[in-house]
Amino acid sequence: MGEEGKAPVVAEAHLVDTFHPPQKMLDKHPSKPHISSLEEYQKLYKESITEPDKFWGQKARELLTWQRDFDTVRSGTLANGDVAWFPEGQLNAAYNCVDRHAFKDPNKVAIIYEADEPGEGRNLTYGELLREVSKVSYVLKKMGVRKGDTVAVYLPMIPEALIALLAIIRIGAVHSVVFAGFSADSLRDRVLDGQSKVVITADEGKRGGKLIGTKKIVDDALKQCPDVSGVLVFKRTGADVPFTPGRDLWWHEEVQKWPSYIAPEIMNSEDPLFLLYTSGSTGKPKGVMHTTGGYLLGAAMTGKYVFDIHDGDRYFCGGDVGWITGHTYVVYAPLLLGVSTVVFEGTPAYPNFSRYWDIIDQHEITQFYVAPTALRLLKRAGDDFVKARMPKLRVLGSVGEPIAAEIWKWYFEVVGREEAHIVDTYWQTETGSNVITPLAGVTPTKPGSASLPFFGVEPAIIDPVSGDEVHGNDVEGVLAFKQPWPSMARTVWGAHKRYMETYLDVYKGYYFTGDGAGRDHEGFYWIRGRVDDVVNVSGHRLSTAEIEAALIEHHAVAESAVVGVVDELTGQAVNAFVAINKGVEATDALRKEFILQVRRSIGPFAAPKAVYIVPDLPKTRSGKIMRRILRKILAGEEDQLGDITTLSDPSVVDKIINIVHEAR
Ligand code: ATP
Ligand code: MG
């Protein structure tokens, strides 16, 4: 590393266990994984890096249906920020997700809708999906939506959310989904920034047994969006909601007026497919833009190889369609591959903590994908809730944050009964699909490591001080990528300069992820968390994720967040915020135990100087811990917390402020 001096801490690299794909997973496999061995992965990976045109050209023709073939596989460079994939190619995304499967087998289940209330769901076949999508496409055209226009979608997790997206892209418009938990102000900002002309929403939402006034929020937001000319409202609960004649239309009334087939609009590969605002862990949300051909290929490729999706699989991603995980892995990957995808309206805690496991059991789910925040909640609830048999489950995915080894093992042993392969998938809204990840059935895994790069992704570890790439193994730094890959974001909507500054100008010639990472002695990658979250104690660059993983090993700890505060002696000192399990009492002795836990597990230099026991941590609506808020509170800058509209429960902020004040 640079002049910061001392080597960073890589405590786990030489100590961890390696888990191979379980034999039982292979035994229950309907055939065999798409890739036969780690050696085959290595061979293909090498080809994807040294001969990307050959590799991706072939995969693009194999996995997608093109109306017009491409001549060029890729053009442009990271340095110039003008990357394009398959530029002469033409295709339609909805055709690829729906039509081609509907023509082959119209009765195949496309969507398994699991309603908030168990037992109230239904299935939709590919044939039905094609008809529903076509009708909504007509409705949107009638509402004045043209090729290239943006349509905002503010819907709960119901099949109509998928139908809406597919109808938008069928006519060549661009979807901009706003997570239906966001406030009216957040929705307004995103509608304005994306220049949406039409909004698709529902009368109300239903989640965890509670009703949400969806339409009312839209009405509030649109008071300040003069350019929105139409609102299409799906009737979910039948509640009496305000209606603006001339602007609002009922979904169920409009779709009746139209035929059940409309020809898809033929799009260029590089035409925008969607905008999506990042979850906002770090600051002002950015409208990340993805294009058609490259994004679709990334989704199909990772669905096929990371999750080892096979024909007949039933795939369940617990992410909301308001986030990139929901886009790529609830909608695009499973539908592109023609399998059944679960659309789950509810929460993992309703009617009780068994809900996910019951869904997996009942629908004979083969792959399940969720965020560590949900796993922490469910582990905290207790193993008794994991009673369902889940006999078909082969793959368990994790996404969104580093997963602590303790949680990883619980997922593997208690949920998967050591019969499913865990894939800890690292990626971002901006990467479009998984970029560092094991391949199910193939890659050996180490708890806490996202393992190896996906095809076409060439990671580089960069020394943040010198800005130079560090080669070889057993190195630490920040994570960047050296080559463009098909599903990378092409720009930030209306702010290409911001795109360049954030991702491509930081280290010229590289895509900068903003995350810290290590590459261990075997070339496995360990994501340390956001660069802004790294703590520097006496020249040791400590990963907050690693200290948090150590804390969670203590039986009383449910969740923790670690941040650095200015310290006269050591530059920065570690401070920890800990949420403890139910029934445990917050005492000074317990705080000391937590400090000891970190000393033992990592080393004395990593021991927290202060431990705050708090009822909950500040989290984004996608469940990620917002350490930025905690840093500000500790610095006494409570009045400069910045944008906290993306917090799921802003009231925890005041509670934490009080606890910190009392402790001082
Ligand atoms: P914003 O960019 O607005 O601050 P965000 O980064 O939380 O929000 P996302 O694109 O949803 O928005 O999340 C990507 C980030 O999540 C990554 O940069 C990384 O920090 C973290 N992440 C995702 N998956 C993993 C993983 N498997 N292991 C570790 N970290 C992960
Ligand atoms: Mg980010």
Side-chain angles (χ1 to χ4, degrees):
M1 306 283 290
E3 69 233 57
E4 300 267 343
K6 298 175 194 151
V9 185
V10 194
E12 74 284 276
H14 299 278
L15 306 171
V16 288
D17 303 329
T18 299
F19 292 76
H20 291 273
Q23 185 56 42
K24 284 190 177 148
M25 177 239 186
L26 300 171
D27 292 345
K28 62 170 128 170
H29 200 289
S31 54
K32 56 187 188 333
H34 292 296
I35 289 183
S36 60
S37 62
L38 188 64
E39 291 69 38
E40 193 190 344
Y41 153 77
Q42 282 158 341
K43 188 177 143 277
L44 283 171
Y45 174 72
K46 201 164 162 216
E47 189 187 318
S48 75
I49 298 300
T50 55
E51 296 177 88
D53 285 10
K54 180 174 162 223
F55 181 88
W56 288 114
Q58 192 231 321
K59 292 294 177 193
R61 290 184 181 105
E62 177 193 316
L63 290 170
L64 302 175
T65 305
W66 299 82
Q67 302 302 317
R68 183 190 189 281
D69 195 16
F70 47 87
D71 309 311
T72 315
V73 171
R74 64 171 190 177
S75 66
T77 62
L78 292 176
N80 291 337
D82 59 352
V83 169
W85 285 84
F86 319 113
E88 309 83 10
Q90 293 188 320
L91 74 174
N92 179 277
Y95 177 89
N96 274 275
C97 290
V98 187
D99 301 38
R100 53 183 186 154
H101 312 306
F103 297 151
K104 210 167 134 202
D105 182 2
N107 295 324
K108 193 173 195 183
V109 173
I111 294 175
I112 301 168
Y113 168 43
E114 178 73 26
D116 189 45
E117 217 52 63
E120 284 184 3
R122 71 191 157 101
N123 288 350
L124 253 98
T125 64
Y126 275 98
E128 287 166 330
L129 188 59
L130 177 56
R131 291 192 282 278
E132 304 274 325
V133 168
S134 290
K135 285 165 178 282
V136 177
S137 287
Y138 275 115
V139 175
L140 293 173
K141 280 194 148 186
K142 151 99 179 317
M143 293 173 81
V145 178
R146 297 285 168 263
K147 185 173 173 173
D149 287 346
T150 313
V151 177
V153 175
Y154 188 75
L155 277 169
M157 280 296 283
I158 51 180
E160 287 69 22
L162 278 67
I163 294 168
L165 300 193
L166 293 162
I168 293 166
I169 59 179
R170 192 171 186 84
I171 61 170
V174 179
H175 59 72
S176 172
V177 182
V178 180
F179 173 57
F182 272 126
S183 66
D185 286 357
S186 303
L187 174 60
R188 175 202 60 207
D189 293 347
R190 288 161 176 75
V191 167
L192 289 174
D193 189 84
Q195 296 147 305
S196 294
K197 286 178 91 175
V198 161
V199 180
I200 308 182
T201 189
D203 52 356
E204 284 186 317
K206 233 179 142 223
R207 223 171 154 255
K210 294 191 194 95
L211 293 172
I212 300 145
T214 314
K215 175 64 165 55
K216 201 184 160 303
I217 297 169
V218 171
D219 284 341
D220 285 349
L222 294 190
K223 277 181 195 143
Q224 293 167 59
C225 301
D227 295 335
V228 172
S229 56
V231 180
L232 185 62
V233 189
F234 178 76
K235 189 179 263 190
R236 167 64 185 89
T237 64
D240 193 14
V241 293
F243 221 72
T244 309
R247 185 195 71 180
D248 300 352
L249 294 171
W250 282 113
W251 173 304
H252 63 277
E253 287 175 3
E254 298 306 311
V255 292
Q256 281 179 13
K257 301 174 184 168
W258 302 99
S260 51
Y261 180 80
I262 187 171
E265 188 80 32
I266 304 306
M267 304 300 288
N268 291 328
S269 177
E270 279 297 318
D271 279 338
L273 182 67
F274 66 83
L275 309 183
L276 181 62
Y277 291 83
T278 56
S279 63
S281 311
T282 44
K284 185 182 181 289
K286 304 174 271 278
V288 168
M289 189 195 77
H290 283 285
T291 58
T292 311
Y295 171 82
L296 294 179
L297 184 57
M301 279 289 288
T302 49
K304 178 167 178 179
Y305 294 110
V306 174
F307 293 93
D308 190 43
I309 292 181
H310 282 250
D311 196 27
D313 278 351
R314 301 159 76 86
Y315 185 91
F316 177 15
C317 166
D320 192 283
V321 77
W323 311 121
I324 191 68
T325 301
H327 279 61
T328 309
Y329 298 102
V330 175
V331 186
Y332 288 102
L335 295 183
L336 284 165
L337 297 171
V339 298
S340 311
T341 184
V342 173
V343 174
F344 177 39
E345 188 177 25
T347 76
Y350 181 80
N352 59 53
F353 293 105
S354 297
R355 190 65 192 273
Y356 278 158
W357 324 132
D358 290 345
I359 295 173
I360 294 172
D361 195 47
Q362 192 194 333
H363 298 293
E364 303 196 319
I365 298 303
T366 42
Q367 291 92 352
F368 176 60
Y369 194 22
V370 81
T373 182
L375 298 174
R376 292 191 297 260
L377 174 88
L378 295 170
K379 179 173 183 285
R380 186 183 199 178
D383 296 358
D384 289 350
F385 287 102
V386 200
K387 280 193 292 264
R389 277 212 336 97
M390 307 184 270
K392 295 280 160 74
L393 197 58
R394 308 198 305 268
V395 184
L396 288 170
S398 171
V399 57
E401 286 181 289
I403 178 167
E406 200 68 14
I407 304 292
W408 193 104
K409 285 188 180 138
W410 181 79
Y411 204 23
F412 181 64
E413 288 162 10
V414 179
V415 176
R417 297 187 175 87
E418 306 187 19
E419 292 181 11
H421 196 179
I422 309 268
V423 291
D424 173 5
T425 64
Y426 167 80
W427 61 299
Q428 312 175 299
T429 309
E430 299 87 338
T431 68
S433 52
N434 307 147
V435 284
I436 296 186
T437 175
L439 307 185
V442 179
T443 314
T445 48
K446 308 179 190 188
S449 164
S451 81
L452 301 171
F454 191 67
F455 301 122
V457 174
E458 194 178 9
I461 300 287
I462 294 181
D463 177 340
V465 179
S466 67
D468 296 333
E469 186 177 341
V470 278
H471 297 276
N473 284 346
D474 251 329
V475 290
E476 287 286 322
V478 299
L479 180 64
F481 301 131
K482 274 203 252 195
Q483 287 200 28
W485 62 101
S487 67
M488 68 177 288
R490 302 293 193 264
T491 193
V492 171
W493 191 247
H496 196 67
K497 190 161 168 275
R498 187 170 178 207
Y499 170 79
M500 293 302 293
E501 283 167 4
T502 313
Y503 310 108
L504 302 182
D505 288 343
V506 186
Y507 304 106
K508 246 335 186 198
Y510 296 84
Y511 168 91
F512 175 50
T513 63
D515 290 310
R519 184 165 53 218
D520 74 13
H521 64 298
E522 292 176 316
F524 274 54
Y525 289 85
W526 297 78
I527 307 300
R528 308 290 182 207
R530 294 157 204 291
V531 172
D532 308 342
D533 287 342
V534 167
V535 186
N536 200 321
V537 183
S538 307
H540 296 286
R541 290 173 53 81
L542 301 174
S543 145
T544 51
E546 194 180 346
I547 305 172
E548 288 158 11
L551 282 164
I552 213 163
E553 281 170 31
H554 192 286
H555 61 88
V557 175
E559 285 196 290
S560 66
V562 163
V563 294
V565 292
V566 180
D567 188 276
E568 275 178 19
L569 219 60
T570 54
Q572 276 192 316
V574 172
N575 277 202
F577 292 81
V578 178
I580 54 179
N581 283 321
K582 273 185 228 106
V584 181
E585 209 191 320
T587 59
D588 278 338
L590 193 62
R591 279 188 201 90
K592 285 206 182 94
E593 276 183 40
F594 293 161
I595 294 169
L596 213 67
Q597 173 78 31
V598 179
R599 286 181 76 96
R600 264 202 310 265
S601 177
I602 303 178
F605 49 86
K609 207 166 174 186
V611 174
Y612 302 98
I613 295 179
V614 294
D616 201 357
L617 299 169
K619 285 186 215 137
T620 62
R621 284 166 202 271
S622 56
K624 296 185 196 197
I625 298 165
M626 243 159 136
R627 295 179 191 76
R628 165 171 76 82
I629 304 268
L630 299 171
R631 275 197 299 272
K632 288 277 180 198
I633 294 174
L634 289 175
E637 295 169 359
E638 293 111 40
D639 51 338
Q640 299 164 38
L641 294 181
D643 183 9
I644 59 165
T645 55
T646 57
L647 275 183
S648 69
D649 176 11
S651 76
V652 301
V653 174
D654 281 336
K655 289 180 198 148
I656 294 173
I657 290 173
N658 287 337
I659 288 167
V660 170
H661 282 183
E662 273 167 32
R664 282 181 172 168

